[in-house]
mmCIF file of all heavy atoms in Angstrom:
data_model
loop_
_atom_site.group_PDB
_atom_site.id
_atom_site.type_symbol
_atom_site.label_atom_id
_atom_site.label_comp_id
_atom_site.label_asym_id
_atom_site.label_seq_id
_atom_site.Cartn_x
_atom_site.Cartn_y
_atom_site.Cartn_z
ATOM 1 N N GLY A 1 14.296 11.486 -6.903
ATOM 2 C CA GLY A 1 14.280 12.617 -7.813
ATOM 3 C C GLY A 1 12.935 12.836 -8.472
ATOM 4 O O GLY A 1 12.849 13.345 -9.597
ATOM 5 N N VAL A 2 11.841 12.452 -7.759
ATOM 6 C CA VAL A 2 10.490 12.603 -8.308
ATOM 7 C C VAL A 2 9.607 13.347 -7.308
ATOM 8 O O VAL A 2 9.959 13.502 -6.134
ATOM 9 C CB VAL A 2 9.861 11.233 -8.639
ATOM 10 C CG1 VAL A 2 10.717 10.489 -9.656
ATOM 11 C CG2 VAL A 2 9.662 10.388 -7.381
ATOM 12 N N GLU A 3 8.444 13.779 -7.776
ATOM 13 C CA GLU A 3 7.442 14.386 -6.910
ATOM 14 C C GLU A 3 6.659 13.291 -6.195
ATOM 15 O O GLU A 3 6.560 12.163 -6.693
ATOM 16 C CB GLU A 3 6.476 15.253 -7.728
ATOM 17 C CG GLU A 3 7.130 16.422 -8.451
ATOM 18 C CD GLU A 3 7.681 17.461 -7.496
ATOM 19 O OE1 GLU A 3 7.019 17.708 -6.462
ATOM 20 O OE2 GLU A 3 8.766 17.998 -7.765
ATOM 21 N N VAL A 4 6.097 13.623 -5.049
ATOM 22 C CA VAL A 4 5.230 12.677 -4.360
ATOM 23 C C VAL A 4 3.784 13.096 -4.564
ATOM 24 O O VAL A 4 3.456 14.287 -4.526
ATOM 25 C CB VAL A 4 5.570 12.590 -2.847
ATOM 26 C CG1 VAL A 4 5.260 13.907 -2.136
ATOM 27 C CG2 VAL A 4 4.826 11.440 -2.183
ATOM 28 N N GLU A 5 2.926 12.123 -4.802
ATOM 29 C CA GLU A 5 1.494 12.377 -4.971
ATOM 30 C C GLU A 5 0.742 11.446 -4.023
ATOM 31 O O GLU A 5 0.919 10.225 -4.064
ATOM 32 C CB GLU A 5 1.050 12.101 -6.408
ATOM 33 C CG GLU A 5 -0.446 12.282 -6.633
ATOM 34 C CD GLU A 5 -0.891 11.833 -8.020
ATOM 35 O OE1 GLU A 5 -0.115 11.157 -8.708
ATOM 36 O OE2 GLU A 5 -2.031 12.168 -8.385
ATOM 37 N N PHE A 6 -0.093 12.026 -3.162
ATOM 38 C CA PHE A 6 -0.876 11.235 -2.213
ATOM 39 C C PHE A 6 -2.288 11.054 -2.748
ATOM 40 O O PHE A 6 -2.943 12.024 -3.149
ATOM 41 C CB PHE A 6 -0.917 11.911 -0.845
ATOM 42 C CG PHE A 6 0.432 12.000 -0.184
ATOM 43 C CD1 PHE A 6 1.141 13.195 -0.157
ATOM 44 C CD2 PHE A 6 1.005 10.877 0.390
ATOM 45 C CE1 PHE A 6 2.385 13.276 0.442
ATOM 46 C CE2 PHE A 6 2.252 10.945 0.995
ATOM 47 C CZ PHE A 6 2.948 12.144 1.017
ATOM 48 N N VAL A 7 -2.752 9.809 -2.770
ATOM 49 C CA VAL A 7 -4.080 9.482 -3.285
ATOM 50 C C VAL A 7 -4.848 8.719 -2.214
ATOM 51 O O VAL A 7 -4.389 7.669 -1.741
ATOM 52 C CB VAL A 7 -3.988 8.624 -4.563
ATOM 53 C CG1 VAL A 7 -5.378 8.212 -5.031
ATOM 54 C CG2 VAL A 7 -3.254 9.377 -5.660
ATOM 55 N N GLU A 8 -6.009 9.269 -1.815
ATOM 56 C CA GLU A 8 -6.857 8.549 -0.857
ATOM 57 C C GLU A 8 -7.512 7.362 -1.560
ATOM 58 O O GLU A 8 -8.104 7.521 -2.624
ATOM 59 C CB GLU A 8 -7.927 9.478 -0.291
ATOM 60 C CG GLU A 8 -7.430 10.395 0.800
ATOM 61 C CD GLU A 8 -8.560 11.076 1.544
ATOM 62 O OE1 GLU A 8 -9.066 10.486 2.523
ATOM 63 O OE2 GLU A 8 -8.928 12.196 1.143
ATOM 64 N N ILE A 9 -7.414 6.198 -0.933
ATOM 65 C CA ILE A 9 -7.964 4.986 -1.519
ATOM 66 C C ILE A 9 -8.982 4.346 -0.588
ATOM 67 O O ILE A 9 -9.018 4.634 0.608
ATOM 68 C CB ILE A 9 -6.848 3.959 -1.822
ATOM 69 C CG1 ILE A 9 -6.106 3.556 -0.525
ATOM 70 C CG2 ILE A 9 -5.872 4.492 -2.854
ATOM 71 C CD1 ILE A 9 -5.126 2.414 -0.697
ATOM 72 N N ASP A 10 -9.799 3.488 -1.146
ATOM 73 C CA ASP A 10 -10.657 2.614 -0.357
ATOM 74 C C ASP A 10 -9.760 1.480 0.129
ATOM 75 O O ASP A 10 -9.178 0.750 -0.666
ATOM 76 C CB ASP A 10 -11.786 2.068 -1.239
ATOM 77 C CG ASP A 10 -12.779 1.207 -0.470
ATOM 78 O OD1 ASP A 10 -12.350 0.504 0.473
ATOM 79 O OD2 ASP A 10 -13.965 1.209 -0.815
ATOM 80 N N TRP A 11 -9.636 1.348 1.452
ATOM 81 C CA TRP A 11 -8.674 0.399 2.026
ATOM 82 C C TRP A 11 -8.920 -1.032 1.557
ATOM 83 O O TRP A 11 -7.986 -1.817 1.404
ATOM 84 C CB TRP A 11 -8.705 0.483 3.547
ATOM 85 C CG TRP A 11 -7.509 -0.130 4.214
ATOM 86 C CD1 TRP A 11 -7.483 -1.192 5.076
ATOM 87 C CD2 TRP A 11 -6.148 0.298 4.087
ATOM 88 N NE1 TRP A 11 -6.204 -1.451 5.481
ATOM 89 C CE2 TRP A 11 -5.354 -0.549 4.889
ATOM 90 C CE3 TRP A 11 -5.515 1.317 3.361
ATOM 91 C CZ2 TRP A 11 -3.969 -0.417 5.000
ATOM 92 C CZ3 TRP A 11 -4.129 1.449 3.457
ATOM 93 C CH2 TRP A 11 -3.380 0.589 4.267
ATOM 94 N N ASP A 12 -10.166 -1.371 1.296
ATOM 95 C CA ASP A 12 -10.491 -2.712 0.806
ATOM 96 C C ASP A 12 -9.890 -2.978 -0.573
ATOM 97 O O ASP A 12 -9.673 -4.133 -0.948
ATOM 98 C CB ASP A 12 -12.012 -2.902 0.721
ATOM 99 C CG ASP A 12 -12.599 -3.389 2.031
ATOM 100 O OD1 ASP A 12 -11.827 -3.842 2.903
ATOM 101 O OD2 ASP A 12 -13.824 -3.321 2.197
ATOM 102 N N ASN A 13 -9.635 -1.914 -1.326
ATOM 103 C CA ASN A 13 -9.177 -2.059 -2.707
ATOM 104 C C ASN A 13 -7.682 -1.807 -2.888
ATOM 105 O O ASN A 13 -7.210 -1.638 -4.012
ATOM 106 C CB ASN A 13 -9.952 -1.101 -3.621
ATOM 107 C CG ASN A 13 -11.423 -1.436 -3.680
ATOM 108 O OD1 ASN A 13 -11.819 -2.583 -3.503
ATOM 109 N ND2 ASN A 13 -12.242 -0.424 -3.910
ATOM 110 N N LYS A 14 -6.929 -1.791 -1.793
ATOM 111 C CA LYS A 14 -5.519 -1.415 -1.863
ATOM 112 C C LYS A 14 -4.700 -2.322 -2.786
ATOM 113 O O LYS A 14 -3.812 -1.855 -3.510
ATOM 114 C CB LYS A 14 -4.894 -1.370 -0.474
ATOM 115 C CG LYS A 14 -5.016 -2.631 0.362
ATOM 116 C CD LYS A 14 -4.496 -2.384 1.777
ATOM 117 C CE LYS A 14 -4.673 -3.615 2.671
ATOM 118 N NZ LYS A 14 -6.123 -3.852 2.972
ATOM 119 N N ILE A 15 -4.980 -3.619 -2.777
ATOM 120 C CA ILE A 15 -4.221 -4.550 -3.624
ATOM 121 C C ILE A 15 -4.540 -4.300 -5.092
ATOM 122 O O ILE A 15 -3.641 -4.230 -5.941
ATOM 123 C CB ILE A 15 -4.529 -6.004 -3.228
ATOM 124 C CG1 ILE A 15 -4.044 -6.269 -1.789
ATOM 125 C CG2 ILE A 15 -3.877 -6.981 -4.190
ATOM 126 C CD1 ILE A 15 -4.511 -7.584 -1.204
ATOM 127 N N LEU A 16 -5.824 -4.114 -5.406
ATOM 128 C CA LEU A 16 -6.240 -3.828 -6.776
ATOM 129 C C LEU A 16 -5.654 -2.506 -7.260
ATOM 130 O O LEU A 16 -5.223 -2.391 -8.414
ATOM 131 C CB LEU A 16 -7.765 -3.795 -6.860
ATOM 132 C CG LEU A 16 -8.379 -3.502 -8.232
ATOM 133 C CD1 LEU A 16 -7.977 -4.579 -9.232
ATOM 134 C CD2 LEU A 16 -9.897 -3.398 -8.130
ATOM 135 N N GLU A 17 -5.626 -1.499 -6.391
ATOM 136 C CA GLU A 17 -5.074 -0.190 -6.754
ATOM 137 C C GLU A 17 -3.603 -0.314 -7.160
ATOM 138 O O GLU A 17 -3.142 0.341 -8.101
ATOM 139 C CB GLU A 17 -5.201 0.790 -5.580
ATOM 140 C CG GLU A 17 -6.623 1.125 -5.188
ATOM 141 C CD GLU A 17 -7.232 2.228 -6.017
ATOM 142 O OE1 GLU A 17 -6.638 2.609 -7.041
ATOM 143 O OE2 GLU A 17 -8.310 2.709 -5.649
ATOM 144 N N LEU A 18 -2.860 -1.157 -6.451
ATOM 145 C CA LEU A 18 -1.459 -1.404 -6.801
ATOM 146 C C LEU A 18 -1.348 -2.095 -8.149
ATOM 147 O O LEU A 18 -0.556 -1.706 -9.006
ATOM 148 C CB LEU A 18 -0.785 -2.277 -5.736
ATOM 149 C CG LEU A 18 -0.241 -1.620 -4.479
ATOM 150 C CD1 LEU A 18 0.280 -2.685 -3.524
ATOM 151 C CD2 LEU A 18 0.872 -0.633 -4.806
ATOM 152 N N GLN A 19 -2.149 -3.135 -8.308
ATOM 153 C CA GLN A 19 -2.053 -3.951 -9.517
ATOM 154 C C GLN A 19 -2.379 -3.177 -10.782
ATOM 155 O O GLN A 19 -1.749 -3.374 -11.823
ATOM 156 C CB GLN A 19 -2.966 -5.173 -9.393
ATOM 157 C CG GLN A 19 -2.497 -6.180 -8.344
ATOM 158 C CD GLN A 19 -3.509 -7.286 -8.102
ATOM 159 O OE1 GLN A 19 -4.693 -7.157 -8.434
ATOM 160 N NE2 GLN A 19 -3.063 -8.384 -7.505
ATOM 161 N N ASN A 20 -3.380 -2.271 -10.697
ATOM 162 C CA ASN A 20 -3.737 -1.522 -11.910
ATOM 163 C C ASN A 20 -2.957 -0.210 -12.049
ATOM 164 O O ASN A 20 -3.242 0.611 -12.929
ATOM 165 C CB ASN A 20 -5.247 -1.272 -11.976
ATOM 166 C CG ASN A 20 -5.759 -0.356 -10.872
ATOM 167 O OD1 ASN A 20 -4.998 0.412 -10.275
ATOM 168 N ND2 ASN A 20 -7.052 -0.420 -10.582
ATOM 169 N N LYS A 21 -1.980 -0.028 -11.167
ATOM 170 C CA LYS A 21 -1.059 1.118 -11.202
ATOM 171 C C LYS A 21 -1.745 2.461 -10.955
ATOM 172 O O LYS A 21 -1.259 3.508 -11.395
ATOM 173 C CB LYS A 21 -0.260 1.144 -12.510
ATOM 174 C CG LYS A 21 0.750 0.000 -12.612
ATOM 175 C CD LYS A 21 1.740 0.214 -13.739
ATOM 176 C CE LYS A 21 2.852 -0.836 -13.690
ATOM 177 N NZ LYS A 21 3.868 -0.631 -14.729
ATOM 178 N N SER A 22 -2.863 2.436 -10.242
ATOM 179 C CA SER A 22 -3.453 3.695 -9.781
ATOM 180 C C SER A 22 -2.549 4.332 -8.728
ATOM 181 O O SER A 22 -2.537 5.549 -8.556
ATOM 182 C CB SER A 22 -4.836 3.448 -9.182
ATOM 183 O OG SER A 22 -5.707 2.885 -10.120
ATOM 184 N N ILE A 23 -1.825 3.473 -8.004
ATOM 185 C CA ILE A 23 -0.840 3.907 -7.013
ATOM 186 C C ILE A 23 0.411 3.058 -7.190
ATOM 187 O O ILE A 23 0.374 1.995 -7.813
ATOM 188 C CB ILE A 23 -1.372 3.784 -5.563
ATOM 189 C CG1 ILE A 23 -1.753 2.321 -5.254
ATOM 190 C CG2 ILE A 23 -2.547 4.711 -5.328
ATOM 191 C CD1 ILE A 23 -2.149 2.079 -3.805
ATOM 192 N N ASP A 24 1.516 3.525 -6.616
ATOM 193 C CA ASP A 24 2.773 2.776 -6.688
ATOM 194 C C ASP A 24 3.098 2.062 -5.386
ATOM 195 O O ASP A 24 3.868 1.101 -5.379
ATOM 196 C CB ASP A 24 3.936 3.724 -7.020
ATOM 197 C CG ASP A 24 3.751 4.421 -8.350
ATOM 198 O OD1 ASP A 24 3.385 3.732 -9.319
ATOM 199 O OD2 ASP A 24 3.972 5.644 -8.417
ATOM 200 N N VAL A 25 2.524 2.548 -4.292
ATOM 201 C CA VAL A 25 2.875 2.018 -2.979
ATOM 202 C C VAL A 25 1.742 2.296 -2.003
ATOM 203 O O VAL A 25 1.058 3.310 -2.118
ATOM 204 C CB VAL A 25 4.202 2.662 -2.486
ATOM 205 C CG1 VAL A 25 4.078 4.166 -2.368
ATOM 206 C CG2 VAL A 25 4.673 2.070 -1.168
ATOM 207 N N VAL A 26 1.525 1.364 -1.059
ATOM 208 C CA VAL A 26 0.584 1.579 0.045
ATOM 209 C C VAL A 26 1.427 1.919 1.265
ATOM 210 O O VAL A 26 2.182 1.089 1.766
ATOM 211 C CB VAL A 26 -0.270 0.328 0.319
ATOM 212 C CG1 VAL A 26 -1.227 0.580 1.484
ATOM 213 C CG2 VAL A 26 -1.051 -0.081 -0.921
ATOM 214 N N TRP A 27 1.279 3.139 1.749
ATOM 215 C CA TRP A 27 2.148 3.631 2.836
ATOM 216 C C TRP A 27 1.256 4.348 3.841
ATOM 217 O O TRP A 27 1.139 5.551 3.852
ATOM 218 C CB TRP A 27 3.192 4.587 2.253
ATOM 219 C CG TRP A 27 4.413 4.754 3.096
ATOM 220 C CD1 TRP A 27 4.500 4.666 4.454
ATOM 221 C CD2 TRP A 27 5.738 5.040 2.622
ATOM 222 N NE1 TRP A 27 5.790 4.877 4.863
ATOM 223 C CE2 TRP A 27 6.572 5.109 3.762
ATOM 224 C CE3 TRP A 27 6.290 5.255 1.363
ATOM 225 C CZ2 TRP A 27 7.943 5.382 3.663
ATOM 226 C CZ3 TRP A 27 7.644 5.532 1.267
ATOM 227 C CH2 TRP A 27 8.462 5.596 2.398
ATOM 228 N N ASN A 28 0.632 3.570 4.718
ATOM 229 C CA ASN A 28 -0.438 4.139 5.535
ATOM 230 C C ASN A 28 -0.656 3.331 6.813
ATOM 231 O O ASN A 28 -1.752 2.909 7.119
ATOM 232 C CB ASN A 28 -1.730 4.147 4.702
ATOM 233 C CG ASN A 28 -2.853 4.931 5.343
ATOM 234 O OD1 ASN A 28 -2.800 6.149 5.407
ATOM 235 N ND2 ASN A 28 -3.879 4.244 5.820
ATOM 236 N N GLY A 29 0.436 3.100 7.564
ATOM 237 C CA GLY A 29 0.282 2.318 8.781
ATOM 238 C C GLY A 29 -0.335 0.962 8.495
ATOM 239 O O GLY A 29 -1.305 0.575 9.143
ATOM 240 N N MET A 30 0.209 0.248 7.537
ATOM 241 C CA MET A 30 -0.371 -1.024 7.098
ATOM 242 C C MET A 30 0.218 -2.198 7.880
ATOM 243 O O MET A 30 1.423 -2.406 7.904
ATOM 244 C CB MET A 30 -0.138 -1.234 5.605
ATOM 245 C CG MET A 30 -0.760 -2.507 5.063
ATOM 246 S SD MET A 30 -0.579 -2.646 3.266
ATOM 247 C CE MET A 30 1.213 -2.816 3.132
ATOM 248 N N THR A 31 -0.674 -2.972 8.506
ATOM 249 C CA THR A 31 -0.243 -4.137 9.266
ATOM 250 C C THR A 31 0.205 -5.247 8.312
ATOM 251 O O THR A 31 -0.448 -5.532 7.312
ATOM 252 C CB THR A 31 -1.394 -4.661 10.144
ATOM 253 O OG1 THR A 31 -1.851 -3.586 10.970
ATOM 254 C CG2 THR A 31 -0.932 -5.805 11.016
ATOM 255 N N LEU A 32 1.318 -5.882 8.645
ATOM 256 C CA LEU A 32 1.852 -6.961 7.814
ATOM 257 C C LEU A 32 1.112 -8.261 8.109
ATOM 258 O O LEU A 32 1.614 -9.161 8.779
ATOM 259 C CB LEU A 32 3.352 -7.108 8.057
ATOM 260 C CG LEU A 32 4.215 -5.939 7.570
ATOM 261 C CD1 LEU A 32 5.656 -6.104 8.024
ATOM 262 C CD2 LEU A 32 4.141 -5.803 6.049
ATOM 263 N N THR A 33 -0.098 -8.362 7.591
ATOM 264 C CA THR A 33 -0.908 -9.569 7.737
ATOM 265 C C THR A 33 -0.526 -10.559 6.627
ATOM 266 O O THR A 33 0.070 -10.174 5.618
ATOM 267 C CB THR A 33 -2.401 -9.239 7.602
ATOM 268 O OG1 THR A 33 -2.638 -8.723 6.272
ATOM 269 C CG2 THR A 33 -2.830 -8.193 8.627
ATOM 270 N N PRO A 34 -0.874 -11.836 6.772
ATOM 271 C CA PRO A 34 -0.601 -12.808 5.699
ATOM 272 C C PRO A 34 -1.222 -12.395 4.365
ATOM 273 O O PRO A 34 -0.614 -12.585 3.311
ATOM 274 C CB PRO A 34 -1.231 -14.097 6.244
ATOM 275 C CG PRO A 34 -1.142 -13.965 7.730
ATOM 276 C CD PRO A 34 -1.385 -12.502 7.993
ATOM 277 N N GLU A 35 -2.427 -11.822 4.398
ATOM 278 C CA GLU A 35 -3.071 -11.379 3.163
ATOM 279 C C GLU A 35 -2.212 -10.344 2.446
ATOM 280 O O GLU A 35 -2.011 -10.408 1.230
ATOM 281 C CB GLU A 35 -4.449 -10.770 3.461
ATOM 282 C CG GLU A 35 -5.146 -10.224 2.223
ATOM 283 C CD GLU A 35 -6.290 -9.273 2.516
ATOM 284 O OE1 GLU A 35 -6.380 -8.780 3.653
ATOM 285 O OE2 GLU A 35 -7.075 -9.017 1.602
ATOM 286 N N VAL A 36 -1.683 -9.406 3.216
ATOM 287 C CA VAL A 36 -0.867 -8.333 2.652
ATOM 288 C C VAL A 36 0.457 -8.878 2.113
ATOM 289 O O VAL A 36 0.856 -8.591 0.977
ATOM 290 C CB VAL A 36 -0.611 -7.247 3.717
ATOM 291 C CG1 VAL A 36 0.540 -6.344 3.312
ATOM 292 C CG2 VAL A 36 -1.874 -6.418 3.944
ATOM 293 N N THR A 37 1.162 -9.669 2.908
ATOM 294 C CA THR A 37 2.482 -10.145 2.502
ATOM 295 C C THR A 37 2.405 -11.138 1.341
ATOM 296 O O THR A 37 3.363 -11.276 0.584
ATOM 297 C CB THR A 37 3.222 -10.783 3.689
ATOM 298 O OG1 THR A 37 2.406 -11.822 4.261
ATOM 299 C CG2 THR A 37 3.509 -9.746 4.766
ATOM 300 N N ASN A 38 1.273 -11.818 1.194
ATOM 301 C CA ASN A 38 1.103 -12.743 0.068
ATOM 302 C C ASN A 38 0.778 -12.027 -1.236
ATOM 303 O O ASN A 38 1.064 -12.529 -2.316
ATOM 304 C CB ASN A 38 -0.007 -13.757 0.373
ATOM 305 C CG ASN A 38 0.418 -14.795 1.399
ATOM 306 O OD1 ASN A 38 1.598 -15.080 1.548
ATOM 307 N ND2 ASN A 38 -0.553 -15.347 2.111
ATOM 308 N N ALA A 39 0.162 -10.843 -1.116
ATOM 309 C CA ALA A 39 -0.302 -10.135 -2.307
ATOM 310 C C ALA A 39 0.605 -8.991 -2.742
ATOM 311 O O ALA A 39 0.452 -8.470 -3.843
ATOM 312 C CB ALA A 39 -1.713 -9.591 -2.066
ATOM 313 N N MET A 40 1.533 -8.595 -1.878
ATOM 314 C CA MET A 40 2.392 -7.445 -2.171
ATOM 315 C C MET A 40 3.860 -7.783 -1.926
ATOM 316 O O MET A 40 4.186 -8.719 -1.191
ATOM 317 C CB MET A 40 2.032 -6.252 -1.268
ATOM 318 C CG MET A 40 0.622 -5.769 -1.316
ATOM 319 S SD MET A 40 0.420 -4.352 -0.182
ATOM 320 C CE MET A 40 -1.360 -4.170 -0.176
ATOM 321 N N ALA A 41 4.735 -6.980 -2.529
ATOM 322 C CA ALA A 41 6.146 -6.975 -2.148
ATOM 323 C C ALA A 41 6.257 -5.973 -1.004
ATOM 324 O O ALA A 41 6.058 -4.778 -1.203
ATOM 325 C CB ALA A 41 7.020 -6.553 -3.314
ATOM 326 N N CYS A 42 6.523 -6.458 0.206
ATOM 327 C CA CYS A 42 6.490 -5.600 1.389
ATOM 328 C C CYS A 42 7.891 -5.294 1.906
ATOM 329 O O CYS A 42 8.813 -6.098 1.776
ATOM 330 C CB CYS A 42 5.674 -6.258 2.495
ATOM 331 S SG CYS A 42 3.918 -6.399 2.109
ATOM 332 N N THR A 43 8.018 -4.137 2.505
ATOM 333 C CA THR A 43 9.270 -3.765 3.157
ATOM 334 C C THR A 43 9.399 -4.491 4.482
ATOM 335 O O THR A 43 8.471 -5.171 4.939
ATOM 336 C CB THR A 43 9.305 -2.259 3.438
ATOM 337 O OG1 THR A 43 8.291 -1.945 4.421
ATOM 338 C CG2 THR A 43 9.061 -1.453 2.181
ATOM 339 N N ASN A 44 10.553 -4.315 5.099
ATOM 340 C CA ASN A 44 10.718 -4.773 6.474
ATOM 341 C C ASN A 44 9.815 -3.949 7.388
ATOM 342 O O ASN A 44 9.416 -2.832 7.047
ATOM 343 C CB ASN A 44 12.177 -4.598 6.922
ATOM 344 C CG ASN A 44 13.135 -5.399 6.067
ATOM 345 O OD1 ASN A 44 12.790 -6.465 5.561
ATOM 346 N ND2 ASN A 44 14.335 -4.893 5.886
ATOM 347 N N ALA A 45 9.495 -4.502 8.556
ATOM 348 C CA ALA A 45 8.698 -3.748 9.533
ATOM 349 C C ALA A 45 9.484 -2.516 9.983
ATOM 350 O O ALA A 45 10.694 -2.582 10.178
ATOM 351 C CB ALA A 45 8.382 -4.633 10.727
ATOM 352 N N TYR A 46 8.799 -1.397 10.137
ATOM 353 C CA TYR A 46 9.458 -0.159 10.564
ATOM 354 C C TYR A 46 8.800 0.473 11.794
ATOM 355 O O TYR A 46 9.360 1.383 12.404
ATOM 356 C CB TYR A 46 9.504 0.850 9.409
ATOM 357 C CG TYR A 46 8.153 1.368 8.974
ATOM 358 C CD1 TYR A 46 7.726 2.648 9.330
ATOM 359 C CD2 TYR A 46 7.283 0.577 8.229
ATOM 360 C CE1 TYR A 46 6.492 3.126 8.945
ATOM 361 C CE2 TYR A 46 6.043 1.046 7.838
ATOM 362 C CZ TYR A 46 5.649 2.310 8.193
ATOM 363 O OH TYR A 46 4.414 2.776 7.819
ATOM 364 N N LEU A 47 7.589 -0.004 12.161
ATOM 365 C CA LEU A 47 6.918 0.475 13.371
ATOM 366 C C LEU A 47 6.178 -0.678 14.038
ATOM 367 O O LEU A 47 5.651 -1.563 13.341
ATOM 368 C CB LEU A 47 5.892 1.570 13.043
ATOM 369 C CG LEU A 47 6.318 3.028 12.915
ATOM 370 C CD1 LEU A 47 5.090 3.905 12.681
ATOM 371 C CD2 LEU A 47 7.089 3.514 14.128
ATOM 372 N N ASN A 48 6.131 -0.666 15.361
ATOM 373 C CA ASN A 48 5.298 -1.605 16.115
ATOM 374 C C ASN A 48 3.957 -0.946 16.408
ATOM 375 O O ASN A 48 3.872 0.270 16.570
ATOM 376 C CB ASN A 48 5.975 -1.976 17.436
ATOM 377 C CG ASN A 48 7.191 -2.838 17.232
ATOM 378 O OD1 ASN A 48 7.146 -3.825 16.502
ATOM 379 N ND2 ASN A 48 8.305 -2.489 17.859
#
């Protein structure tokens, strides 16, 4: 029940962007690497 807002980010800073609440979610064909899964709450895989 909310609007969606897309914000272009520097991919290197995606974790920091989440932490400081500049964004709410990283949704951009993101590979589930150990770095990502250790630093974020990640969804299940949805694409190969």
Side-chain angles (χ1 to χ4, degrees):
V2 301
E3 298 294 322
V4 66
E5 177 187 14
F6 295 103
V7 176
E8 281 193 88
I9 61 172
D10 183 326
W11 197 242
D12 273 345
N13 296 332
K14 55 187 177 290
I15 296 170
L16 180 61
E17 295 276 11
L18 277 176
Q19 291 172 341
N20 66 21
K21 291 193 172 183
S22 300
I23 59 174
D24 300 314
V25 60
V26 179
W27 202 330
N28 190 71
M30 182 175 66
T31 304
L32 292 172
T33 63
E35 177 197 16
V36 163
T37 55
N38 287 334
M40 303 180 190
C42 293
T43 66
N44 299 329
Y46 66 104
L47 275 184
N48 290 312

